[in-house]
């Protein structure tokens, strides 16, 4: 339904969107998820026609609309602060697109009533936008976008202006609305992973004006194809390590001062078949870590640097003996945990450990044919240390 | 290469389609209005200044006007009056604005609204008021003669350059106050409270916190006032002091009273050059000010 | 509210009182007294002491009759005509400039603002030089109106322009996405949202035009004498009380016009 074909958008010297390719099918919800400035809103504006791509094409239902002005695209757009026309009543706001299409009066009234009922705002048709609460304005904005029966609905951070409680409530309403619109392709821009996980069939993770990964929410969470996605979606710990061997039982990695087997599912791509000696990152979700005595042979030893009560669990921050980064662990109880400053061990459930490609500098060639179990070559002295997870890019060194 | 080549026509086409635009030619009608009613006459003024009354082109008129004592005196007078009045406005305006914004009293809001209203008043109102207030039979002189018993009016400045400077300060002080009040309203109250809690006295807070914050507004208000006082005509005309002749007044007398168009045009060109130089300065200060507030948002 | 704890600068009560006293000493002669004295003079029968000797409504009556009344009518017509023209031209420019390339936009902004920098007398002189012998304009009210439009145009334009800058571009974008053509967006969304600014620009333009004297005195024909020019003629002849009364009439008329305009705006909003 929507297709981005290598779309780039530049504002003067800055690139807001770089070589972006993505497809959203009829009836599908795709969330564009990323930190602010990652280009997700720009991608949405390119579909709406609010910005012009400097290169690439935008297609709607197979039709190239790259050069078409917004008013000929027939897309429903809900912007961040709703932009309800302040000088028009709710009814006139919702009817605006229908009047622009010169529909007969009776049909306008009927369709406005229909969409207002759909968002539960039928009783407010004579109010001015200024008399509505934030949540009500949001509902009217959605109704206004739906009134023109668009095949494509674009939602730009529709919940970000609301407070936390209302956001949860409206998230539920959006899920219900989704079920009522089986044929509409929805592009949902957000920086909140909870919204993305709750609403989207697929998530496209964005960063620095580019697409990092796109897949179903489940796949992205369980087998993150890149370090950035692992950290951004669900806040994973990324232990830097070195691949020892890869086999059907999983990838054996030396990380955190121990040899561990990452036996979790592996995304296709470079992470699927790493070679021995390659740097790799092991993705560990905080809730997959358990405390253990620091000298337990199967635990990663370290020093507890802090604890934080989070209601349902405690979050421990542990500096591992091996490696510069701290890891966080969510544990149900503090029993058996030393006071901050004490030594502690962290036991991992190897079945959910996922290797993600580490960033090896392309200058260091990995020996592809080293036999399994062969002695692991130490990283060459002076070779750059593996990059911090946050700085890791989607593409591994090999892919680049 | 090809990408750049196709991007250019697409950009042009797309701009025409942007909502609310309609392309470059829509700005033509207003430009034509300003061109016909302002730029064209101004160009003619410049042209006329190079044509003598006998119709000969050349610098003759310029030579006679520029070397005349009356012109030199008027130029000097215009600049000195404008500069003094602007300085006065800055001092008085800053004081009044600081009090209104940071030492408010009951009714302060009403007072600042009054200041806004005064901005839209004609300047000759002040000239009229000055004759009633400070004229030889005016309120102040009556009060003073009543006190001292002397028969000669003790205050006699109204027909002097000082009188004009005072009148301009009176009229233009609101022009300094308004941007200042706007800038002061952006200063977070908490910043002053923190400064006071750290032991800073009011004078120190004023110097180190408020004035730096207000500097762009002060520059913008000050240069606008300088520009307007340079160009002021109504006050000079209404006060009508025989020996206080400024450049605009000279343009008026040459053009209307004695009908020496070329001479009037020479003075006008000098006047315009002077104001344009200042105007450039004002736009600069203004751009910097809006740039600052824009950056703070 | 800022008033609760002294606004945050001067904290001691005595300090505040001192500052207020100084404020009064500066404020009263600079802003208040000139206004008060003109109002008082408009009603003064004679004024030789500190206060008027007697009060009379005669000046005001005179100011509202005969040629003075004609002047008032001329001023109101000029103000309305040039104010509305300035708002139309300035508003048009402010809207149109947004679709123009940056260079043209800067040029237009600069050209429209330029008249601020030029003395009103010079603008009057320019019009005399350019159109003083034109059979169409010479000796007509057109000269006065053109002069006023040029003088207030910059103010009208920057008022509308500033409002457009503050206007959330999302309104126009969303309206476009709903299928409205650019013309419809302008007519249904932008202009209604700009109504307060357009009305403010109109008020400012009318107020400035009603008080204009420099350019008017250069170009006015005998048949089109504005109120400020009449006031000047009166002061020149020493009839200062009538001049004060006429000034008062001018201020009152301006105020009434602006109130009426504001009234129309709120009615239009409903």
């Amino acid at each position: 339904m929507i297709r981005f074909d290598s779309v780039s958008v530049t504002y003067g010297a800055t690139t807001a969107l770089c070589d972006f390719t993505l497809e959203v099918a009829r009836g599908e919800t795709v969330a564009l998820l990323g930190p602010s400035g990652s280009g997700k809103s720009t991608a949405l504006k390119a579909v709406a026609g609010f910005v012009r791509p400097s290169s690439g094409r935008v297609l709607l239902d197979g039709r190239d609309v790259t050069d078409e002005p917004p008013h000929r695209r027939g897309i429903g757009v809900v912007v961040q602060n709703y932009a309800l026309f302040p000088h028009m009543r709710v009814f006139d706001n919702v009817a605006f697109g229908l009047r622009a299409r010169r529909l007969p009066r009776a049909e306008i009234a009927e369709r406005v009533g229909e969409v207002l009922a759909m968002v539960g705002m039928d009783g407010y048709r004579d109010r001015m936008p200024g008399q509505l609460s934030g949540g009500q304005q949001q509902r009217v904005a959605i109704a206004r976008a739906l009134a023109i029966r668009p095949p494509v609905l674009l939602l730009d951070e529709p919940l970000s202006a609301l407070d936390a409680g209302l956001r949860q409530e409206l998230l539920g309403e959006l899920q219900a609305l989704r079920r009522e619109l089986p044929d509409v392709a929805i592009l949902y821009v957000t920086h909140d992973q909870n919204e993305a996980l709750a609403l989207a069939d697929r998530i496209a993770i964005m960063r620095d004006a580019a697409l990092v990964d796109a897949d179903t929410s489940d796949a992205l969470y369980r087998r993150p194809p890149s370090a950035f996605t692992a950290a951004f979606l669900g806040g994973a710990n990324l232990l830097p390590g070195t691949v020892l061997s890869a086999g059907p039982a999983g990838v054996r990695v030396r990380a955190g001062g121990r040899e561990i087997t990452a036996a979790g599912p592996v995304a296709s791509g470079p992470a699927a078949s790493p070679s021995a000696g390659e740097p790799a990152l092991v993705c560990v979700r905080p809730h997959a870590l358990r405390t253990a005595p620091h000298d337990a042979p199967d635990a990663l030893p370290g020093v507890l640097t802090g604890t934080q009560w989070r209601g349902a669990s405690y979050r421990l921050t542990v500096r591992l003996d091996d490696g510069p980064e701290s890891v966080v662990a969510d544990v149900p109880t503090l029993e058996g945990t030393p006071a901050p400053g004490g030594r502690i061990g962290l036991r991992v459930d190897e079945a959910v450990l996922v290797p993600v490609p580490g960033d090896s500098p392309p200058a260091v060639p990995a020996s592809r044919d080293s036999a399994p179990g062969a002695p692991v070559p130490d990283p060459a002295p002076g070779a750059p240390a593996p990059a911090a997870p946050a700085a890791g890019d989607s593409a591994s060194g090999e892919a680049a | 290469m090809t990408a750049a080549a196709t991007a250019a026509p697409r950009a042009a086409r797309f701009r025409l389609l942007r909502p609310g635009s309609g392309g470059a030619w829509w700005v033509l009608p207003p430009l034509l209005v300003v061109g016909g009613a302002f730029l064209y006459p101004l160009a003619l003024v410049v042209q006329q200044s190079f044509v003598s009354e006998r119709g000969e082109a050349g610098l003759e008129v310029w030579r006679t006007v520029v070397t005349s004592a009356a012109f030199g005196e008027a130029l000097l007078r215009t600049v000195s009056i404008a500069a003094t009045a602007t300085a006065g406005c800055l001092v008085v305006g800053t004081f009044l604005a600081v009090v209104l914004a940071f030492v408010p009293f009951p009714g302060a809001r009403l007072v600042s609204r009054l200041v806004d209203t005064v901005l839209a008043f004609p300047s000759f109102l002040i000239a009229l008021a000055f004759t009633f207030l400070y004229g030889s039979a005016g309120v102040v002189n009556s009060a003073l003669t009543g006190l001292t018993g002397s028969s000669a009016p003790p205050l006699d400045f109204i027909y002097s350059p000082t009188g004009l400077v005072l009148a301009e300060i009176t009229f233009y002080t609101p022009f300094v106050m308004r941007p200042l009040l706007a800038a002061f309203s952006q200063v977070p109250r908490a910043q002053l409270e923190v400064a006071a809690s750290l032991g800073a006295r009011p004078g120190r807070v004023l110097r180190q916190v408020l004035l730096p914050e207000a500097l762009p507004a002060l520059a913008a208000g000050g240069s606008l006032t300088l520009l307007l006082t340079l160009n002021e005509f109504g006050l000079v005309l209404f006060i009508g002091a025989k020996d206080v002749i400024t450049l605009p007044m000279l343009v008026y007398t040459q053009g209307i009273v004695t009908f020496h168009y070329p001479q009037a045009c020479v003075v006008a060109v000098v006047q315009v050059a002077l104001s344009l130089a200042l105007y450039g300065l004002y736009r600069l200060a203004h751009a910097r000010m809006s740039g600052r507030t824009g950056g703070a948002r | 509210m800022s008033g609760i704890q002294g606004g945050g600068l001067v904290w001691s009560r005595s300090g505040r009182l001192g500052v207020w006293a100084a404020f009064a000493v500066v404020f009263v002669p600079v802003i208040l007294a000139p206004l008060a004295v003109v109002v008082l003079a408009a009603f003064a029968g004679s004024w030789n002491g500190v206060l008027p000797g007697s009060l009379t409504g005669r000046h005001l009556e005179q100011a509202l009759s005969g040629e003075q009344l004609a002047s008032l009518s001329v001023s109101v017509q000029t103000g309305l005509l040039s104010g509305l023209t300035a708002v139309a031209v300035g508003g048009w420019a402010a809207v149109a400039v947004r679709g123009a390339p940056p260079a043209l936009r800067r040029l237009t902004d600069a050209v429209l603002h330029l008249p601020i920098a030029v003395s009103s007398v010079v603008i009057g002189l320019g019009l005399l030089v350019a159109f003083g012998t034109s059979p169409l304009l010479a000796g007509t009210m057109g000269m006065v109106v053109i002069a006023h439009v040029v003088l207030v145009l910059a103010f009208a334009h920057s008022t509308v322009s500033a409002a457009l800058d503050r206007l959330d571009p999302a309104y126009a974008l969303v309206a476009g996405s709903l299928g409205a053509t650019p013309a419809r967006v302008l007519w249904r969304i932008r202009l209604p949202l700009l109504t307060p600014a357009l009305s403010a620009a109109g008020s400012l333009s009318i107020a400035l035009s009603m008080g204009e004297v420099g350019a008017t005195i250069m170009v006015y024909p005998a048949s089109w004498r504005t109120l400020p020019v009449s006031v000047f003629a009166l002061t020149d002849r020493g009839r200062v009380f009538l001049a004060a009364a006429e000034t008062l009439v001018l201020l009152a008329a301006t105020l009434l016009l602006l109130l009426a305009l504001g009234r129309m705006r709120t009615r239009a909003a409903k």
Side-chain angles (χ1 to χ4, degrees):
Chain A
M1 199 63 222
I2 310 174
R3 203 170 112 211
F4 294 90
D5 203 352
S6 302
V7 173
S8 295
V9 176
T10 52
Y11 299 115
T14 54
T15 301
L17 191 65
C18 182
D19 199 23
F20 184 75
T21 299
L22 183 75
E23 225 171 311
V24 184
R26 186 184 302 274
E28 187 186 29
T29 306
V30 171
L32 290 180
L33 178 66
S36 58
S38 59
K40 52 193 196 306
S41 280
T42 306
L44 178 138
K45 286 178 182 153
V47 183
F50 298 168
V51 297
R52 187 186 67 85
S54 44
S55 67
R57 297 186 306 158
V58 178
L59 294 98
L60 288 177
D61 210 5
R63 180 170 56 109
D64 185 348
V65 296
T66 318
D67 283 336
E68 258 182 34
H71 68 270
R72 295 213 197 107
R73 297 193 183 195
I75 289 178
V77 185
V78 176
V79 295
Q80 207 163 350
N81 294 311
Y82 319 135
L84 293 183
F85 307 131
H87 57 295
M88 294 181 188
R89 295 174 305 143
V90 165
F91 182 93
D92 298 315
N93 260 283
V94 178
F96 185 85
L98 305 175
R99 288 188 179 139
R101 284 169 173 66
R102 304 186 189 287
L103 293 188
R105 196 177 272 267
E107 191 180 346
I108 291 178
E110 187 195 317
R111 275 167 72 165
V112 170
E114 191 181 299
V115 285
L116 279 178
M118 201 190 273
V119 297
M121 289 295 293
D122 207 20
Y124 296 85
R125 48 173 70 202
D126 289 327
R127 297 277 187 97
M128 297 301 279
Q131 300 169 306
L132 301 179
S133 71
Q136 291 170 334
Q137 290 187 26
Q138 197 255 15
R139 292 184 182 102
V140 174
I142 289 179
R144 182 176 64 179
L146 289 179
I148 59 171
R149 297 198 179 143
V152 166
L153 183 62
L154 308 177
L155 300 167
D156 189 1
E157 305 259 10
L159 303 181
S160 66
L162 306 172
D163 55 49
L166 199 56
R167 213 178 303 164
Q168 272 310 314
E169 187 188 324
L170 284 169
L171 196 54
E173 289 182 22
L174 283 177
Q175 283 176 315
L177 193 70
R178 163 77 278 190
R179 287 192 290 275
E180 286 186 55
L181 304 166
D183 290 331
V184 177
I186 297 183
L187 192 64
Y188 187 99
V189 165
T190 181
H191 64 272
D192 183 341
Q193 50 168 314
N194 294 322
E195 292 173 24
L197 289 170
L199 284 171
D201 303 314
R202 285 194 302 140
I203 297 180
I205 303 231
M206 300 200 57
R207 176 196 187 201
D208 294 342
L211 181 69
V212 179
D213 292 309
D215 208 335
T216 62
S217 342
D218 189 68
L220 287 182
Y221 187 81
R222 288 186 201 282
R223 359 176 246 277
S226 69
F228 180 76
T229 297
F232 193 76
L233 196 69
N237 294 301
L238 292 163
L239 304 178
T242 312
V243 174
L244 299 176
S245 63
V251 180
R252 192 127 183 97
V253 179
R254 180 170 191 84
R258 291 269 188 277
E259 285 187 14
I260 47 181
T261 304
V266 178
S268 56
S273 52
S275 321
E278 267 181 39
L281 294 168
V282 179
C283 161
V284 194
R285 300 285 170 192
H287 58 79
L289 289 163
R290 288 292 171 266
T291 53
H294 68 90
D295 47 3
D298 57 343
L300 311 174
V303 176
L304 181 68
T305 54
T307 63
Q308 218 181 74
W309 187 47
R310 316 185 100 209
S313 62
Y314 293 87
R315 170 154 286 196
L316 311 181
T317 312
V318 176
R319 176 186 291 277
L320 296 181
D321 290 352
D322 186 68
E325 276 88 33
S326 289
V327 297
V328 293
D330 290 339
V331 296
T333 162
L334 283 185
E335 244 172 80
T337 306
R343 292 196 54 78
I344 193 174
L346 289 177
R347 193 171 277 147
V348 294
D349 177 2
E350 293 194 335
V352 297
L353 286 188
V354 179
V356 292
D359 300 289
S360 67
V364 182
S367 48
R368 293 200 154 271
D369 46 4
S370 54
V376 181
D378 275 352
D393 216 325
S394 61
S396 75
E398 255 179 299
Chain B
M1 275 298 102
T2 51
T6 53
R10 179 192 275 183
R13 208 154 26 111
F14 204 87
R15 196 178 295 115
L16 304 185
L17 302 170
R18 308 292 330 177
S21 75
W25 53 82
W26 282 106
V27 299
L28 271 184
L31 276 182
L32 284 178
V33 171
V34 183
F38 174 66
L39 293 180
Y40 166 67
L42 208 60
L44 283 187
V45 166
V46 176
Q47 189 207 21
Q48 187 90 173
S49 75
F50 292 104
V51 179
S52 77
E53 264 163 296
R54 284 169 322 219
E56 291 160 15
L59 289 170
E60 188 200 318
V61 194
W62 273 85
R63 214 169 292 130
T64 34
V65 171
V66 171
T67 52
S68 73
F71 172 81
E73 201 182 321
L75 178 62
L76 210 65
R77 184 131 283 163
T78 310
V79 173
S80 69
I81 286 180
T84 327
T86 303
C89 287
L90 285 175
V91 173
V92 176
T94 308
F95 170 70
L96 293 182
V98 165
V99 176
L100 278 182
F102 299 114
V103 201
F105 47 87
R109 192 167 289 206
L110 192 76
V111 167
S112 42
R113 199 153 314 151
L114 184 69
V115 168
D116 276 350
T117 318
V118 172
L119 277 175
F121 283 175
S123 59
F124 64 78
L125 179 100
I126 302 298
L128 212 57
F130 262 46
T131 52
F132 292 119
L133 274 174
Y134 310 115
S136 53
V139 176
V140 176
N141 272 325
S142 304
L144 289 177
T145 45
L147 283 175
T148 59
S150 76
S151 57
L155 280 187
D156 186 23
F157 63 77
I158 189 166
Y159 296 112
S160 70
T162 319
L164 189 56
V165 166
L166 288 179
E168 290 194 352
I169 291 178
T170 303
F171 183 69
Y172 285 108
T173 290
F175 286 77
V176 173
M177 289 174 73
R178 199 157 72 157
L180 266 183
L181 284 172
F184 283 157
S185 70
Q186 311 241 320
V187 176
R189 239 10 75 148
Q191 203 174 324
L192 304 185
E193 286 160 8
V194 168
S197 73
L198 293 172
R201 289 162 177 281
R204 197 182 177 78
V205 175
L206 192 66
R207 248 180 306 119
Q208 300 196 330
V209 181
L210 291 183
L211 287 188
E213 199 73 21
L215 217 54
L218 215 54
S223 37
L224 177 66
T225 305
L226 191 57
L227 187 68
L228 293 175
T229 47
L230 268 183
N231 289 333
E232 178 55 45
F233 173 68
L235 271 174
V236 192
L237 178 75
F238 270 69
I239 289 182
K242 288 278 171 299
D243 45 350
V244 187
I245 302 295
T246 62
L247 287 181
M249 197 63 194
L250 208 55
V251 173
Y252 169 68
T253 46
Q254 297 279 4
I256 291 298
V257 182
T258 57
F259 294 104
H260 290 127
Y261 271 14
Q263 276 89 330
C265 287
V266 169
V267 183
V269 171
V270 173
Q271 167 82 37
V272 168
L274 201 63
S275 349
L276 278 187
L278 244 172
Y279 178 66
L281 221 66
Y282 164 69
R283 291 286 283 196
L284 211 70
H286 194 78
R288 195 168 297 173
M289 180 182 165
S290 45
R292 252 184 83 139
T293 51
R297 256 182 261 134
Chain C
M1 253 315 296
S2 56
I4 300 164
Q5 258 311 320
L9 188 59
V10 178
W11 299 89
S12 76
R13 183 162 176 77
S14 62
R16 284 216 293 275
L17 288 177
V19 169
W20 290 342
F23 181 88
V25 165
V26 178
F27 183 78
V28 169
V30 171
I31 309 247
L32 204 59
L35 296 181
V37 91
V38 169
V39 175
L40 216 52
F43 294 101
S46 63
W47 197 344
N48 296 312
V50 176
L51 287 174
S54 62
L55 293 180
T56 170
R58 197 159 39 88
H59 306 310
L60 219 52
E61 205 176 295
Q62 232 176 317
L64 285 169
S65 59
E67 57 180 294
Q68 323 295 354
L69 188 66
S71 276
L72 175 63
S73 145
V74 162
S75 265
V76 169
Q77 292 177 56
T78 311
L80 282 175
L81 204 57
S82 50
L84 296 184
T85 312
V87 171
V89 176
W92 180 313
V95 172
V97 95
R98 261 140 244 266
L104 185 60
R105 182 175 175 168
R106 271 195 298 277
L107 176 83
T108 311
D109 275 344
V111 166
L112 275 155
H113 276 104
L114 216 51
I116 294 188
V118 177
S119 180
S120 54
V121 200
V122 175
I123 286 172
L125 180 71
L127 289 177
L128 271 187
V129 171
F131 308 119
T133 52
S134 138
L136 204 68
L137 283 171
T140 69
M141 60 167 280
M143 293 284 270
V144 178
V145 173
I146 291 176
H148 284 211
V149 169
V150 170
L151 279 164
V152 301
L153 186 58
F155 296 95
H157 172 254
S158 53
T159 307
V160 180
S161 203
L164 263 174
D165 285 341
R166 284 193 302 268
L167 198 65
D168 190 346
Y171 292 126
L173 290 175
V174 167
S177 80
L178 289 169
T181 57
R184 195 181 179 88
V185 174
L186 181 68
W187 189 244
R188 297 278 178 180
I189 304 295
R190 291 183 160 210
L191 286 184
L193 290 179
L194 283 178
T195 314
L198 290 171
S199 143
S203 304
L204 182 64
S205 302
I206 290 173
L208 290 174
S209 163
M210 300 263 295
E212 212 290 322
V213 65
T216 318
I217 213 162
M218 300 287 285
V219 300
Y220 79 95
S223 60
W224 199 257
R225 197 164 78 166
T226 64
L227 231 162
V229 175
S230 295
V231 175
F232 172 66
L234 288 173
T235 43
D236 213 31
R237 277 180 274 147
R239 303 182 63 187
V240 285
F241 293 116
L242 184 53
E246 275 218 59
T247 308
L248 197 62
V249 166
L250 176 75
L251 295 186
T254 311
L255 203 66
L256 280 176
L257 262 185
L258 301 193
L259 282 180
L261 210 70
R263 196 77 181 257
M264 265 160 58
R265 179 193 346 156
T266 46
R267 193 170 305 163
K270 283 175 193 166

